[in-house]
Amino acid sequence: MTKHIFVTGGVVSSLGKGLTSASIGMLLEQRGLRVRMQKLDPYINVDPGTMSPYQHGEVYVLDDGSETDLDLGHYERFTSGQLTRDCNYTTGQIYLSVIEQERKGQFLGKTVQVIPHITNEIKSVIKRMGGDDVDVVITEIGGTVGDIESLPFLEAIRQFSLDVGRDNCLYLHLTLVPYLKAADELKTKPTQHSVGQLREIGIQPDILVCRCEHSISREDREKIALFCNVPTEAVIEEKDKDFSIYEVPLSLVDNKLDELIVQKLGLSNAANELNITPWTDLIHRLRNPRHEISIAVVGKYAEHKDAYKSIYEAIDHAGIHNQAQIRIGRIQSADIEREGAERLLSGYHGILIPGGFGERGIEGKVQAIQFARERGIPFFGICLGMQCAVIEFGRHILGLDGAHSSEFDKDTKHPVICLLDEQENVTQMGGTMRLGSQPATLLPDTHARLAYETESIEERHRHRYEFNNFYREHFEKMGMIFSGTRPDGGLVEIIEVPDHPWFVAVQFHPEFKSKPLQSHPLFAGFVGAALQRHQRRSDSHPDQ
Ligand code: GLN
């Protein structure tokens, strides 16, 4: 029988529920259990794909093409379980489904209500995650306990234990234990109140994970335990990690959280001894880098840390792979337009341009690419980054004046990037988004092939526009290498520029498939090339 862990959060938002849930998932997997992860989001939006990266961080894309909350990125980076559309639901999707059933007459004219109709729908999406091949489902409830929006979800998980048995459910509540400087004390009251709110709606948490800046004394843990009605050993400290998020699981192990969960869910027979060595090795590598390099990420949302979450993570993974500490410079592409590429990008060992939508800062990106290409600086273009690289090459090498993407200039004379149905000989797909995992074939003797060490790959997409095949021969004649294409050759997936240390740009999003223990081959290759540039430069200027 599948066991269920429900993760809720209290006191304040942004406590890192996603990271804690993912860490728990990883620890249970490292104990040999089969885990599936799910996030339920209380907002009304039906389609997370249309939400602004400014407000909500990046849109994370799964193999099956679903556009999801960025917490699912943490889940995939920490655990190996396959994530699908079923792993992320919003209030909007739940209501939409119930309303559609009502419209079809499936409730036979009965009054449709939050309880039981909405809560039943929520329970059914949780139940769907279980099965013979899953030992534990971890369901994270977004938002903060006490918000109006989360109530139906909390009510549903309360009912859930009545349906499947209290022994098969575990409620874990993440709270904040703040430090008051003036009093030089940790304060447990917010946690007491937050647990009080949970208990009011009928949920008695089994485990409290307490986020804190300073260690919680035994005395404070006993106090929290007493007031919140849990055993003292179920009050787990999760101290802030200023070094790396990958330390979170290790600190949870130090506090015996994995053992506590295994015992409480009666999984002692099914679970193995914890094998945490790969993670301690990882932290060791992180703490002992052999080199230090800097990479510029040039984007439209550079000031918003979460907008390129997976990109930054993938760069870090490539750093771990290459034993290099990487300083990431977040550069606004619009600033390059004002101040010039030379001024803002000199000194970086590599330049990366991530995906994006909208015209602002496009010319700055094109300038950054020209700078990288002409100066031989390793360059990695992703999605919009590839499209900008094509525009740059078209304008400056092919001499196509005003070459552009028809996304930004409808009337351009040279739409080197355009929608598929704008290309003469292809009519399918129109302006719809190409989403999810799709295959590509790689050309021998290219950077891409060298990095992947295989001919066939599958990568995730999220874009409407494509390289315009009308220009393919011309680009090829002028040196551009189409190192990856759709297996039938019909769409360009990867481009490379020759006579350059490493200039690779891809139409897909490799960042979604990078993991801390398994860097994505292209990110590893890019950072490896940046490292070589650093070493060459230190050789020629030994005092640098
Ligand atoms: N805006 C571009 C397109 O739709 C690129 C999208 C992206 O970078 N994800 O094709």
Side-chain angles (χ1 to χ4, degrees), residues 28 34 132 155 181 204 255 265 350 360 382 384 426 483 517 528 536:
L28 297 182
R34 295 158 305 170
D132 292 342
E155 169 61 16
K181 209 169 158 196
Q204 167 61 54
N255 288 289
L265 285 175
R360 185 162 63 82
I382 292 177
L384 182 61
V426 198
S483 54
L517 297 176
R536 263 200 316 274

Side-chain angles (χ1 to χ4, degrees), residues 355-357 382-384 387 407 462-465 507 509:
F357 295 80
I382 292 177
C383 210
L384 182 61
Q387 298 175 354
E407 179 178 6
R462 181 171 183 256
H463 57 100
R464 288 196 177 81
Y465 291 79
Q507 187 55 80
H509 287 276

Side-chain angles (χ1 to χ4, degrees), residues 379-381 386 440-459 481-485 492-498 500-508 510 520-526 529:
F379 169 75
F380 194 11
M386 183 198 100
T441 306
L442 306 181
L443 214 60
D445 302 322
T446 57
H447 284 302
R449 179 70 180 267
L450 220 64
Y452 280 102
E453 296 178 326
T454 174
E455 190 185 357
S456 304
I457 58 163
E458 296 217 343
E459 291 284 3
I481 300 159
F482 296 100
S483 54
T485 54
V492 169
E493 297 281 9
I494 312 179
I495 62 162
E496 296 185 20
V497 165
H500 187 287
W502 208 90
F503 190 111
V504 179
V506 298
Q507 187 55 80
F508 46 82
H520 188 284
L522 289 179
F523 277 89
F526 167 60

Side-chain angles (χ1 to χ4, degrees), residues 381-436:
I382 292 177
C383 210
L384 182 61
M386 183 198 100
Q387 298 175 354
C388 289
V390 169
I391 294 168
E392 194 279 325
F393 200 87
R395 287 184 192 171
H396 301 133
I397 302 290
L398 274 63
L400 302 174
D401 227 13
H404 222 314
S405 161
S406 60
E407 179 178 6
F408 309 121
D409 180 1
K410 282 263 160 297
D411 306 316
T412 171
K413 263 202 333 243
H414 298 293
V416 289
I417 302 291
C418 65
L419 293 175
L420 269 189
D421 55 6
E422 289 171 337
Q423 299 184 24
E424 279 171 353
N425 47 356
V426 198
T427 46
Q428 83 268 35
M429 294 218 304
T432 53
M433 191 84 97
R434 186 143 76 102
L435 270 175

Side-chain angles (χ1 to χ4, degrees), residues 38-306:
Q38 181 181 46
K39 169 121 197 242
L40 303 180
D41 276 311
Y43 48 78
I44 313 280
N45 305 58
V46 172
D47 185 0
T50 55
M51 293 171 77
S52 160
Y54 284 115
Q55 265 199 15
H56 211 76
E58 78 178 2
V59 173
Y60 189 81
V61 181
L62 302 179
D63 273 342
D64 68 5
S66 29
E67 298 171 283
T68 68
D69 185 88
L70 56 73
D71 272 333
L72 275 80
H74 286 311
Y75 301 169
E76 282 207 325
R77 286 187 280 272
F78 277 75
T79 64
S80 61
Q82 180 82 20
L83 296 187
T84 61
R85 203 167 292 280
D86 276 336
C87 301
N88 190 199
Y89 279 93
T90 68
T91 293
Q93 290 164 348
I94 298 283
Y95 270 78
L96 188 66
S97 159
V98 171
I99 291 169
E100 275 168 1
Q101 291 168 47
E102 189 274 337
R103 297 284 76 199
K104 286 187 200 138
Q106 286 175 2
F107 299 118
L108 306 171
K110 285 194 195 128
T111 313
V112 181
Q113 295 176 298
V114 173
I115 306 171
H117 300 95
I118 295 295
T119 46
N120 279 351
E121 184 68 21
I122 295 171
K123 285 193 288 182
S124 85
V125 305
I126 298 171
K127 238 171 241 156
R128 225 178 281 157
M129 298 287 292
D132 292 342
D133 55 344
V134 190
D135 298 311
V136 183
V137 172
I138 302 176
T139 300
E140 176 191 343
I141 311 294
T144 307
V145 168
D147 296 346
I148 291 179
E149 284 92 341
S150 11
L151 276 176
F153 288 110
L154 298 175
E155 169 61 16
I157 63 170
R158 180 191 70 79
Q159 293 173 13
F160 201 86
S161 68
L162 293 177
D163 296 355
V164 302
R166 185 65 178 87
D167 291 349
N168 296 315
C169 293
L170 187 148
Y171 297 96
L172 185 146
H173 189 56
L174 190 67
T175 89
L176 179 70
V177 178
Y179 169 71
L180 262 201
K181 209 169 158 196
D184 189 25
E185 268 180 7
L186 288 181
K187 289 292 173 194
T188 63
K189 192 78 79 190
T191 295
Q192 297 174 33
H193 281 306
S194 169
V195 172
Q197 273 180 312
L198 262 184
R199 291 168 68 193
E200 241 168 61
I201 50 181
I203 296 175
Q204 167 61 54
D206 298 296
I207 296 176
L208 299 176
V209 174
C210 303
R211 288 293 311 271
C212 50
E213 268 177 81
H214 298 275
S215 281
I216 308 176
S217 65
R218 173 88 199 171
E219 210 185 338
D220 278 337
R221 283 176 61 207
E222 281 169 359
K223 186 168 162 194
I224 294 171
L226 185 66
F227 281 96
C228 299
N229 195 31
V230 296
T232 309
E233 68 272 15
V235 180
I236 304 283
E237 167 188 302
E238 190 188 319
K239 227 164 94 179
D240 291 354
K241 298 283 161 296
D242 42 15
F243 177 62
S244 165
I245 57 167
Y246 298 119
E247 289 182 306
V248 171
L250 296 183
S251 92
L252 296 177
V253 171
D254 286 346
N255 288 289
K256 305 200 173 51
L257 180 60
D258 58 309
E259 187 51 35
L260 192 66
I261 292 174
V262 164
Q263 276 174 18
K264 283 204 181 283
L265 285 175
L267 288 167
S268 299
N269 287 335
N272 304 331
E273 283 289 300
L274 178 69
N275 172 19
I276 198 70
T277 322
W279 287 81
T280 41
D281 286 353
L282 181 143
I283 298 296
H284 180 76
R285 285 170 78 94
L286 260 175
R287 283 200 178 276
N288 299 286
R290 297 222 185 109
H291 323 273
E292 200 184 318
I293 58 169
S294 55
I295 302 280
V297 174
V298 180
K300 177 177 163 188
Y301 317 107
E303 78 284 14
H304 193 304
K305 240 169 118 184
D306 277 351

